[in-house]
């Protein structure tokens, strides 16, 4: 009996037990659907933040729905194929917590070979423009902080640093550097002091239970990243119609780093800081959660983001071209899956 079949049977028994113990959290019908779906796996999991990012893929001729979906825990898992590869689509909702919960459900319940996360994102890199698609090699969560008390500086140890809970390794934001319109005192002093960026605690499935590791930069899967290079030749949409076009031709590019936080980041100064400090290009609210869950579960992952903001242009430009932004991310994802399928067929 194959390992995946054994795992499926074990998982089915666990789900049934959990359902009985939690007063029917999973119905018998849902358990049956999950078991039948897993027998047909493995699947490539597509994790998508919102409906306006998912709908263009559902409507794409490249996606063929199997008309199977499984609903539980407030999520809908949609099944289908892209480029002859079996896929499961699931919408996370906004923010790091929703993205983490959804990704963990996907990996815990279904037979998943890898995860592709896509959507739109803000950005901090002046080398890129609205509707460009970027594929970072590394992701970080940039809102796990140790906020230093006023009066202490970079030379002072952080609370619990000696126990390995906090670190000064990744650097800090000195709020005083961004003090403006000062009327009293020095612009080099600010009661908000310093914010030190911290790594996440990770508990890998192949590690010792409750024995933590730390991760700040989480790398995407090396093979997925290599395959994504082929997307740099992709032609992306530029025009809404015959008369309304972007002033530039959008492109696909692999970049070094992206970052996430449960913060809608419109502030230009903080974006600039993140780019200067960490060489960040895309900024979003979900990708790092997906990256961290996949790291813990030892599942291949990549994130593809289409840039929905302009650093120097009309602030209304993004709203005008949001349809193109969303479509370009879907175009890139479909092409990635095609290239992944071709690679796997060769091997």
């Amino acid at each position: 009996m194959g390992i995946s079949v054994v795992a499926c049977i074990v998982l089915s028994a666990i789900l049934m037990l959990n359902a009985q113990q939690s007063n029917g959290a999973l119905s018998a019908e849902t358990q049956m659907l999950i078991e039948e779906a897993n027998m047909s796996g493995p699947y490539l999991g597509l994790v998508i933040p919102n409906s306006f990012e998912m709908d263009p893929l559902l409507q794409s001729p490249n996606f063929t729905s199997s008309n199977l979906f499984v609903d539980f825990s407030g999520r809908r898992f949609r099944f289908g194929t892209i480029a002859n590869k079996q896929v499961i689509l699931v919408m996370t909702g906004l923010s790091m917590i929703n993205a983490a919960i959804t990704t963990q459900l996907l990996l815990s319940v279904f037979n998943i070979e890898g995860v592709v996360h896509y959507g739109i994102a803000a950005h901090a890199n002046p080398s890129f423009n609205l509707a460009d698609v970027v594929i970072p090699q590394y992701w970080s969560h940039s809102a796990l902080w140790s906020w230093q008390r006023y009066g202490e500086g970079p030379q002072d140890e952080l609370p619990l640093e000696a126990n390995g809970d906090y670190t000064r390794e990744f650097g800090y934001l000195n709020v005083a550097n961004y003090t403006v319109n000062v009327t009293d005192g020095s612009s080099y002093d600010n009661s908000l002091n310093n914010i030190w960026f911290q790594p996440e605690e990770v508990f890998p499935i192949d590690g010792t239970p409750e024995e933590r590791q730390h991760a700040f930069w989480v790398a995407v899967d090396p093979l997925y990243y290599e395959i994504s290079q082929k997307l740099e030749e992709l032609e992306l949409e530029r025009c809404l119609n015959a008369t309304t076009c972007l002033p530039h031709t959008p492109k696909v590019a692999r970049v070094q780093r992206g970052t996430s936080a449960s913060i809608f980041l419109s502030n230009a100064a903080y974006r600039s800081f993140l780019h200067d400090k960490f060489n960040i290009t895309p900024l979003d609210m979900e990708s790092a959660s997906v990256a961290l869950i996949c790291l813990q579960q030892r599942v291949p992952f990549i994130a593809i983001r289409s840039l929905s903001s302009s650093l120097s242009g009309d602030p209304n430009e993004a709203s005008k071209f949001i349809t193109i932004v969303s479509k370009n991310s879907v175009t890139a994802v479909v092409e990635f899956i095609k290239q992944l399928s071709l690679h796997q067929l060769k091997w």
Side-chain angles (χ1 to χ4, degrees):
M1 185 177 290
I3 293 175
S4 60
V5 176
V6 173
C8 186
I9 293 172
V10 171
L11 178 59
S12 178
I14 292 172
L15 291 175
M16 187 174 296
L17 178 62
N18 286 343
Q20 292 170 351
Q21 292 177 341
S22 56
N23 195 26
L26 282 175
S27 68
E29 180 183 1
T30 299
Q31 295 170 43
M32 186 177 299
L33 286 173
I34 291 170
E35 185 173 346
E36 290 178 356
N38 281 333
M39 291 295 184
S40 300
Y43 299 89
L44 187 66
L46 272 60
V47 179
I48 310 155
N50 290 298
S51 59
F52 66 85
E53 294 158 312
M54 182 171 64
D55 287 346
L57 182 57
L58 292 175
Q59 297 161 9
S60 169
N62 293 287
F63 173 70
T64 302
S65 173
S66 66
N67 296 317
L68 169 66
F69 60 86
V70 180
D71 292 342
F72 66 93
S73 295
R75 271 74 180 175
R76 171 162 290 183
F77 297 84
R78 294 173 166 87
F79 293 74
T81 57
I82 298 173
N84 297 317
K85 177 166 281 296
Q86 296 188 106
V87 297
I88 301 177
L89 280 61
V90 60
M91 188 179 74
T92 68
L94 193 69
S95 85
M96 297 283 286
I97 291 176
N98 274 325
I101 290 171
T102 306
T103 306
Q104 185 65 67
L105 286 170
L106 175 73
L107 298 183
S108 295
V109 173
F110 295 105
N111 184 2
I112 302 296
E113 68 174 69
V115 171
V116 178
H117 177 58
Y118 80 88
I120 68 174
H123 78 296
N125 189 335
S127 299
F128 292 92
N129 296 297
L130 178 68
D132 286 345
V133 174
V134 294
I135 308 169
Q137 186 175 10
Y138 298 94
W139 285 91
S140 69
H141 175 204
S142 52
L144 181 57
W145 299 337
S146 175
W147 202 323
Q148 209 168 17
R149 72 180 64 188
Y150 179 67
E152 294 184 348
Q155 73 282 355
D156 294 303
E157 186 176 280
L158 299 177
L160 304 178
E161 184 177 6
N163 297 331
D165 288 304
Y166 296 102
T167 177
R168 288 170 291 175
E169 177 183 355
F170 300 103
Y172 63 100
L173 166 64
N174 183 350
V175 178
N177 288 340
Y178 297 88
T179 301
V180 295
N181 299 324
V182 175
T183 55
D184 297 311
S186 169
S187 62
Y188 298 101
D189 191 17
N190 190 298
S191 296
L192 292 175
N193 204 19
N194 299 318
I195 295 168
W196 292 84
F197 293 84
Q198 300 300 313
E200 289 276 2
E201 289 186 348
V202 178
F203 298 87
I205 59 169
D206 54 1
T208 303
E210 298 183 351
E211 187 173 297
R212 66 185 178 179
Q213 298 176 12
H214 285 100
F216 188 74
W217 296 114
V218 180
V220 303
D221 181 75
L223 174 61
Y224 284 10
Y225 193 65
E226 179 183 344
I227 290 172
S228 72
Q229 185 175 16
K230 298 181 183 297
L231 275 61
E232 294 181 333
E233 303 171 359
L234 200 58
E235 292 186 9
L236 299 176
E237 287 195 38
R238 173 173 170 255
C239 298
L240 284 171
N241 50 51
T243 58
T244 307
C245 296
L246 288 165
H248 59 275
T249 301
K251 61 181 182 290
V252 179
R254 298 191 305 170
V255 296
Q256 185 182 28
R257 292 171 174 171
T259 195
S260 308
S262 290
I263 302 167
F264 191 91
L265 187 51
S266 295
N267 186 272
Y270 189 59
R271 286 196 203 182
S272 178
F273 164 79
L274 288 173
H275 177 256
D276 294 343
K277 184 74 175 180
F278 298 118
N279 194 25
I280 297 296
T281 297
L283 314 127
D284 66 37
M285 302 175 73
E286 296 87 19
S287 294
S289 282
V290 180
L292 285 159
I293 296 298
C294 289
L295 174 64
Q296 290 182 327
Q297 301 297 311
R298 303 304 195 209
V299 174
F301 131 90
I302 196 167
I304 298 171
R305 288 283 186 161
S306 183
L307 302 180
S308 62
S309 62
S310 173
L311 291 180
S312 57
D314 181 351
N316 296 319
E317 187 180 36
S319 298
K320 182 194 299 185
F321 289 100
I322 191 65
T323 302
I324 287 178
V325 174
S326 298
K327 284 184 177 180
N328 282 352
S329 68
V330 169
T331 299
V333 166
V334 168
E335 183 62 25
F336 173 79
I337 296 172
K338 289 179 180 179
Q339 295 296 332
L340 178 62
S341 294
L342 287 173
H343 176 85
Q344 292 174 338
L345 282 174
K346 292 177 182 177
W347 295 95

